[in-house]
Amino acid sequence: MNRIMIYPSMLSANPTKIGQELASVVQAGANGIHWDVMDGHFVDAITFGADLIRAHRSFTSLRFDVHLMVQNPRRHAEVFAKAGADLLTLHREVGDCSRTTLSFIKSLGMKTGMAFNPATDVEDVQDYWDLLDQVLVMTVVPGRSGQNFMESQLKKIKWLRSKLPQTVEICVDGGINPTTLKMCVDFGVDSCVTGSYLFGSTNYFDAMNALRSTGATPAATHC
Ligand code: DX5
Ligand code: ZN
C-alpha cells in the first residue's frame, strides 16, 4: 500500500491569520508544512521571506520545507536555515543549481530538494541524486496557486521512480486534489503539496482525509 505524505502550502492560507491556519492544518493531520518563497525574478510574484517562517517555527515540530522560487538560492540558504527550515528546495533552472550549492545547504544542517518546472527535463537528476533528499515535480508552472494539474508530468514521476533510490522522496506540487493525487500515487509519488484544494475546503480534516484515501499516510514527519 502507498504511504503518502501531505504537505499544505501556506501560500493558499488566509494571509490575515497564518498562525491559526497553520495550527488548523497541523491538527487536521499534515505531515509537514510547505512554504512557497518567490522573489519576483524567477517568477513574477513576490511572496514572503524568512521572517514569516521564523515567526511560525515554534507552532509545530513538523518539517518545514521551503520551496525557493528564487534566482539565487545559495545567497539565501543561511537565512532560511537560521529561520528553522528543515528542507530547502532549489530549482533546476537557476544558475547556481549545482552540487556545490546542494553541499552548502547540507552543511547548514538542512535536507535538500530539487524542483523541476514542467518544461524542464529530469534526466540529469542522476548527476545530483546522491546529494538529494527530495525531488519536487512541478505539475503547474510555478508562480501562483490554484492552477490546473498538468497530466503531461506524470511520466516524469514514473521515470524518476524507476531511476532514483527509495531514499530520495518524490513529491508533486501543483493542482493536487484527490483525483490528481490518485494519478500521481499510481505513478509512484511519495508525497504531495496541497494549496488551494485544502485551504479552499470548508473542513480541513475532511479534505485531508479525502487526500489520504489515495493511500495510507504514515505518522507525521517531525524535525
Ligand atoms: C506554485 C507553488 C505551489 C502552489 C500549490 O508555484 O509552488 O506550492 O502554491 O498550490 P495549488 O495546490 O493550489 O496548486
Ligand atoms: Zn511549492
Side-chain angles (χ1 to χ4, degrees), residues 8-149:
S9 161
M10 299 312 292
L11 184 60
S12 293
N14 182 334
T16 67
K17 47 177 189 173
I18 296 286
Q20 286 173 48
E21 294 270 69
L22 178 52
S24 296
V25 295
V26 170
Q27 199 171 16
N31 299 106
I33 302 295
H34 183 89
W35 298 92
D36 285 303
V37 173
M38 304 184 190
D39 68 351
H41 293 281
F42 181 69
V43 293
D44 287 342
I46 295 174
T47 55
F48 36 74
D51 287 349
L52 188 82
I53 292 164
R54 182 184 302 106
H56 293 91
R57 182 60 280 187
S58 64
F59 281 51
T60 176
S61 62
L62 288 182
R63 186 172 87 179
F64 273 9
D65 90 69
V66 176
H67 178 188
L68 287 182
M69 284 160 274
V70 308
Q71 284 291 6
N72 305 100
R74 189 188 163 101
R75 186 194 298 166
H76 300 284
E78 196 162 358
V79 73
F80 283 103
K82 286 182 177 158
D86 301 298
L87 183 151
L88 200 67
T89 296
L90 50 75
H91 265 262
R92 176 66 191 90
E93 299 80 17
V94 302
D96 64 356
C97 174
S98 65
R99 292 183 63 85
T100 307
T101 303
L102 292 170
S103 298
F104 180 59
I105 292 169
K106 283 197 174 292
S107 77
L108 294 169
M110 295 181 287
K111 293 187 172 181
T112 55
M114 187 178 287
F116 291 84
N117 280 350
T120 304
D121 286 339
V122 289
E123 275 75 10
D124 74 352
V125 72
Q126 289 173 110
D127 297 343
Y128 304 97
W129 72 260
D130 55 312
L131 291 170
L132 288 176
D133 296 292
Q134 185 191 79
V135 171
L136 190 66
V137 178
M138 295 304 302
T139 41
V140 297
V141 175
R144 62 187 172 86
S145 59
Q147 303 180 73
N148 289 332
F149 178 84

Side-chain angles (χ1 to χ4, degrees), residues 4 6 176-179 181 192 194 197-198 206-215 217:
I4 302 303
I6 300 170
I176 292 297
N177 58 43
T179 305
L181 180 56
C192 74
T194 173
Y197 168 74
L198 177 65
D206 290 346
M208 204 79 87
N209 277 343
L211 289 171
R212 266 197 203 102
S213 70
T214 60
T217 304

